[in-house]
Amino acid sequence: MADKVAGRRGRRLQGQGAEAQGNEPGLTRERIAATAVGMLDANGLNGLTMRGLAEALGSGVMSLYWHVQNKEDVFDLALDSVLEYRGPTALQDWRGDIVHVLEDWRATMLRHPWSASLLPRRALGPNILVRLERLSKCLSAGGVSDTDVNAAIWSLWNYVMGATVTRAGFGPSDEDRAASQQRLAELGALYPSIEHSRLLLDDDWDGTFRRGLDFLLDGIAPKR
Amino acid sequence: MADKVAGRRGRRLQGQGAEAQGNEPGLTRERIAATAVGMLDANGLNGLTMRGLAEALGSGVMSLYWHVQNKEDVFDLALDSVLEYRGPTALQDWRGDIVHVLEDWRATMLRHPWSASLLPRRALGPNILVRLERLSKCLSAGGVSDTDVNAAIWSLWNYVMGATVTRAGFGPSDEDRAASQQRLAELGALYPSIEHSRLLLDDDWDGTFRRGLDFLLDGIAPKR
DNA sequence: GGCAAGACTCGTACAGTGTACGAATTTATT
DNA sequence: AATAAATTCGTACACTGTACGAGTCTTGCC
């Protein structure tokens, strides 16, 4: 009952006899994925509906289902298409490389905030494995022992994941910040340490991400 | 257009004249929350429907809406009711205390896997703030400087968050593991480092969590 | 040419969702 | 007893994902 691989084809070439508008060149998984990403970017996770997607593609709703198993499949498609990693630099400074990989990762996901809430519950797509592989290489190059490397990778993964999901959840809107501020003002007395450190008011997300990452890398770096 | 605080009352006391069965003692936010948690535990995030909830409570669907703003509100209720923290021990060993807080946190959320996917996108409820406050105190007690404490708290938060969300996402089912194994077998050649370290096959989640946490705490601990 | 076998599109229909609205009922207050 | 407030809930609506099967188009084979 698991997975039956539905038929899917790539096929081009159709006579544009009647309509000169080449705007709707036939459905493909790629086109579906791209359009889905657009809609998700624009309207968030709930902004994607099969009907809407079909309309944006200029097709009937049920036509999608020939290319796609179900809505979940569309999510998978969109997610993976967003997570491509173009690793530019060659290996040199292991620590700097890791920072780069993770910051790029975070930035990519924050550019499409829905991806953060989507990623956890999906299996690891190829584009994620590429990133993990790269991490693994960097760590080994940095002298992290074989016994530590797995825990290190997962801890880095967890860190990026948590940071991104949290950041995406709080959204760029000031509404949440206002809410936090409000809540803090009300209950501040109950949480003196939090209030003292202004934990919830700080909004230097990038800096905090970077500094926490340094903590983690300090701990991972082989002790001397 | 933001928030109108709906009326909500706590009220007890009704004559049980007609029906002796005290099984349905009237709706309250608490009862709604408890029942919602039960349904979420049993059937996951999609297992909670307003109709189902009403039925389980022995009430009409729309009656819920007098106590609750909307379904989101039910989620908030359920989440917060699950995250209560009964901090047992007094402060002593800062590092051990932190480990305890975080492991308890993770365990609590994994006991209700839906909570992991829910938490990120909600505002911080009081029960979470309690935990953060506690973290903050431990860190200060451990000698972490005021300038570092925020970054440290967030990094710990991120770490627990990521670990829990990931773990909950992969579910306890072996189906996912089988899928990963399959994928790895297929593409193993492309990801030699990952395959070598058996990253995806290791299933000692608790141990890995603990070891990664040690990395992080090593990095956070004040340098000497 | 004819024609059959796929590949692909899509209209209709159905069961299910959250919740707006307003009427009915119960409880509290005067 | 009368009035107001609190609480319940039936009905209705717009919207969701997708099963089903009838259509159309493209291609290869005789």
Side-chain angles (χ1 to χ4, degrees), chain A residues 91 94 98 101 129-144 146 149-150 152-153 156, chain B residues 191-199:
Chain A
L91 285 177
W94 72 276
I98 287 186
V101 170
L129 290 179
V130 166
R131 290 173 135 101
L132 291 179
E133 171 76 12
R134 171 121 190 172
L135 273 189
S136 183
K137 277 209 197 84
C138 289
L139 289 170
S140 297
V144 176
D146 273 14
V149 82
N150 272 0
I153 293 182
L156 290 168
Chain B
Y191 312 105
S193 302
I194 288 182
E195 185 171 41
H196 172 257
S197 69
R198 306 177 50 83
L199 178 69

Side-chain angles (χ1 to χ4, degrees), chain B residues 9 11 27 51 59-60 62-63 66-67:
Chain B
R9 276 289 125 71
R11 128 260 56 166
L27 291 177
R51 283 177 238 262
S59 78
M62 293 315 290
S63 308
W66 198 88
H67 302 268

Side-chain angles (χ1 to χ4, degrees), chain A residues 38-60:
Chain A
M39 297 188 64
L40 286 166
D41 285 347
N43 307 319
L45 263 186
N46 299 341
L48 181 65
T49 71
M50 295 304 272
R51 281 176 239 265
L53 185 55
E55 189 176 13
L57 285 162
S59 79

Side-chain angles (χ1 to χ4, degrees), chain B residues 98 102 135 152-160 213 216-217 220:
Chain B
I98 288 185
L102 296 185
L135 273 188
I153 293 181
W154 279 125
S155 63
L156 291 168
W157 158 284
N158 289 340
Y159 182 76
V160 189
L213 182 52
L216 191 47
L217 289 172
I220 289 176

Side-chain angles (χ1 to χ4, degrees), chain B residues 10-209:
Chain B
R11 128 260 56 166
R12 223 22 359 153
L13 55 121
Q14 87 279 16
Q16 60 267 43
E19 45 183 356
Q21 294 299 73
N23 204 5
E24 297 165 4
L27 291 177
T28 53
R29 294 196 119 219
E30 291 76 18
R31 226 160 72 78
I32 292 178
T35 314
V37 168
M39 299 188 62
L40 287 166
D41 284 345
N43 308 319
L45 263 186
N46 298 341
L48 181 65
T49 71
M50 296 304 272
R51 283 177 238 262
L53 186 55
E55 189 177 12
L57 285 162
S59 78
V61 196
M62 293 315 290
S63 308
L64 298 175
Y65 284 86
W66 198 88
H67 302 268
V68 147
Q69 217 129 333
N70 44 35
K71 195 181 180 181
E72 292 273 288
D73 200 12
V74 177
F75 281 132
D76 285 341
L77 236 47
L79 183 60
D80 199 67
S81 91
V82 140
L83 286 183
E84 239 166 326
Y85 180 57
R86 305 170 286 293
T89 59
L91 285 178
Q92 37 182 10
D93 164 30
W94 73 276
R95 192 156 163 158
D97 285 347
I98 288 185
V99 170
H100 176 267
V101 170
L102 296 185
E103 282 189 330
D104 174 86
W105 199 340
R106 189 178 91 109
T108 301
M109 296 186 68
L110 288 185
R111 228 174 287 129
H112 311 277
W114 45 272
S115 65
S117 17
L118 223 45
L119 205 165
R121 64 184 78 188
R122 326 251 140 212
L124 310 166
N127 287 327
I128 299 173
L129 290 179
V130 166
R131 289 175 135 100
L132 291 178
E133 172 75 12
R134 171 122 192 170
L135 273 188
S136 182
K137 277 208 196 86
C138 290
L139 289 169
S140 297
V144 175
S145 75
D146 273 13
T147 60
D148 279 349
V149 83
N150 271 1
I153 293 181
W154 279 125
S155 63
L156 291 168
W157 158 284
N158 289 340
Y159 182 76
V160 189
M161 224 51 199
T164 311
V165 161
T166 300
R167 176 67 176 106
F170 280 120
S173 79
D174 310 276
E175 184 185 349
D176 305 295
R177 175 145 315 109
S180 298
Q181 213 155 351
Q182 171 68 10
R183 185 185 309 274
L184 193 60
E186 293 173 11
L187 309 175
L190 295 176
Y191 312 105
S193 302
I194 288 182
E195 185 171 41
H196 172 257
S197 69
R198 306 177 50 83
L199 178 69
L200 302 180
L201 303 180
D202 182 20
D203 62 348
D204 177 20
W205 295 87
D206 296 354
T208 305
F209 175 80

